[in-house]
Amino acid sequence: MAGQVTVSGTTPARPGPLAGLRVVELGGIGPGPFCAMVLADLGADVVRVHRPSEVGTPPNPVLDRGRRTLAIDLKRASGVAVVRRLIDESDVLLEGFRPGVLERLGLAPEVLRASHPELVVGRMTGFGQEGPLAARAGHDINYIALSGVLGSIGRPGERPVPPLNLVGDFGGGGMLLALGVVSAVLHARTSGVGQDVDAAMVDGSALLMAMTYGFAAQGRWTADRGSNMFDGSMPFYDTYECADAKYVAVGAVEPQFYRVLVETLGVTDLVDVNDPAAQRDPATFPATRKAFAEAFATRTRDEWAAVFAEVDACVTPVLDIDEAPSDAHLVDRATYVHDENGVVHPAPAPRFGATPLAPPAAPAAPGAHTHEILAGLGLTTDEIAALHEEGTVA
């Protein structure tokens, strides 16, 4: 398949822009591993610390890619001592515990920086390190509910629709943590001063609403769900069902694209494209939506995709996760890659001209590099054997 790249090995074949950056990831779920994956994709040497009980469990075949893995018991003083040695030789520590847990493990940031002043500690939480809810449990849906994101997504008169866990966990969480960590490393390398990065998903998901709050300040956005530009309320920015019960996405916001959309659908007798104001006049929406819906219902999704492939009308097929990796454009760009087991991976992004990224490394089993990492810290064979014997490492 054109553009297909195969994943192989357990370390990057060529460096990315973060080559030389050393990261310790205290294993967690969701946004923390995503941040670590992104850093590893960009060339960082990331060591993921697993619990010994996780040895033998399969890694996430995509999210856990690209790291070396160490299985060690942080409830034992000997395990904490080993991890401290590893941290002392690294640039970044990533953790996703509730506030106070890292401190109770004996790995408080100020303690770590006593011997390693330049250390950056990336702290991933839902509600933040401080505040009335800091110690409370939650998940993506809770964080984006509190930040105003969830209440903005859905049809009018219907309940809010969770946008998977993309906004809190990954966009507002792991991605912003990665940016924060890299920013803090740059500062540490010029100042010699490390710092904590407090990445809270409530904060990050709120930040993703920047444009929306700007529109609200201008009177161009309301709190009424399903009544604004990008929430599906306008017929030129929505999805439509086709003859085969599949969908197309329409984003013809600008007048020139709107005109092409109307002309290509063959509904110029039903939709006015000569009066620019008519496109955004709510009084025209019911008739326009009906015209669009009836037109799209006359052909299959792929037939419409072929028609609109020849024009600029901001119309694309709605592909599912099984279909997207085979899309011609995404194949040409190698947006998805396959590992040696046939597992589909989103390729590392973004792309760099001077420091091209390697195909993502296939995930290693928990603890696969324990001996290698301990030996790299200078532990002798007898010392490693003793740690195994007492159950500190696996």
Side-chain angles (χ1 to χ4, degrees):
M1 184 180 293
Q4 179 169 312
V5 178
T6 299
V7 178
S8 61
T10 57
T11 55
R14 59 177 187 260
L18 296 185
L21 184 71
R22 297 160 300 175
V23 179
V24 176
E25 172 199 2
L26 300 184
I29 60 173
F34 180 73
C35 172
M37 184 201 79
V38 169
L39 296 177
D41 282 353
L42 300 187
D45 176 16
V46 182
V47 173
R48 180 179 171 114
V49 177
H50 289 271
R51 301 181 186 91
S53 61
E54 293 176 311
V55 172
T57 61
N60 182 296
V62 178
L63 191 63
D64 291 340
R65 71 192 186 196
R67 280 95 100 186
R68 295 188 293 153
T69 71
L70 168 70
I72 192 162
D73 188 353
L74 290 177
K75 293 181 180 179
R76 294 174 178 266
S78 55
V80 172
V82 170
V83 169
R84 279 207 61 176
R85 290 177 64 170
L86 180 62
I87 293 169
D88 278 343
E89 295 189 8
S90 301
D91 303 292
V92 177
L93 171 65
L94 298 178
E95 63 97 359
F97 302 128
R98 291 198 205 185
V101 172
L102 192 68
E103 285 78 1
R104 289 196 293 274
L105 288 173
L107 297 172
E110 60 271 19
V111 172
L112 298 175
R113 277 194 284 269
S115 58
H116 188 355
E118 296 183 18
L119 179 69
V120 171
V121 180
R123 314 195 74 172
M124 183 79 260
T125 60
F127 295 116
Q129 294 296 317
E130 300 174 342
L133 298 179
R136 294 285 291 276
H139 285 288
D140 180 293
I141 193 170
N142 306 116
Y143 312 135
I144 68 171
L146 198 64
S147 67
V149 175
L150 184 59
S152 302
I153 303 174
R155 298 293 183 180
E158 299 182 10
R159 60 185 180 177
V161 178
L164 302 182
N165 61 332
L166 301 179
V167 178
D169 278 353
F170 301 120
M175 192 71 75
L176 279 177
L177 177 60
L179 173 62
V181 162
V182 171
S183 300
V185 167
L186 288 174
H187 176 264
R189 289 184 174 178
T190 57
S191 68
V193 179
Q195 61 185 300
D196 295 351
V197 179
D198 177 2
M201 285 175 264
V202 288
D203 300 344
S205 58
L207 182 63
L208 296 179
M209 292 281 282
M211 182 181 74
T212 305
Y213 274 95
F215 284 164
Q218 296 173 325
R220 298 168 58 195
W221 196 278
T222 76
D224 296 328
R225 188 164 52 254
S227 63
N228 299 286
M229 170 70 78
F230 300 117
D231 59 11
S233 69
M234 300 186 180
F236 52 84
Y237 199 91
D238 206 348
T239 58
Y240 291 91
E241 187 173 2
C242 301
D244 55 355
K246 296 182 180 180
Y247 292 83
V248 293
V250 174
V253 175
E254 293 80 6
Q256 66 271 29
F257 303 134
Y258 184 69
R259 175 183 289 275
V260 175
L261 168 67
V262 172
E263 292 173 348
T264 306
L265 285 176
V267 293
T268 52
D269 58 329
L270 301 173
V271 179
D272 183 5
V273 294
N274 295 313
D275 178 8
Q279 177 184 348
R280 298 179 185 239
D281 181 356
T284 69
F285 289 175
T288 300
R289 189 181 299 278
K290 182 174 183 290
F292 288 175
E294 290 178 350
F296 278 118
T298 63
R299 301 189 190 185
T300 68
R301 181 199 66 183
D302 291 346
E303 287 172 341
W304 280 120
V307 169
F308 281 98
E310 303 302 319
V311 297
D312 253 345
C314 302
V315 177
T316 51
V318 177
L319 304 180
D320 62 33
I321 63 171
D322 293 325
E323 296 173 308
S326 298
D327 175 77
H329 179 77
L330 303 185
V331 168
D332 186 74
R333 287 185 56 79
T335 299
Y336 291 92
V337 298
H338 299 72
D339 68 19
E340 60 269 25
N341 299 317
V343 174
V344 177
H345 292 244
R351 304 182 184 200
F352 297 84
T355 54
L357 306 180
H369 304 97
T370 296
H371 190 282
E372 168 191 314
I373 293 168
L374 296 179
L377 291 175
L379 275 69
T380 66
T381 301
D382 289 343
E383 289 173 323
I384 295 172
L387 291 172
H388 276 285
E389 181 66 26
E390 68 187 29
T392 298
V393 302

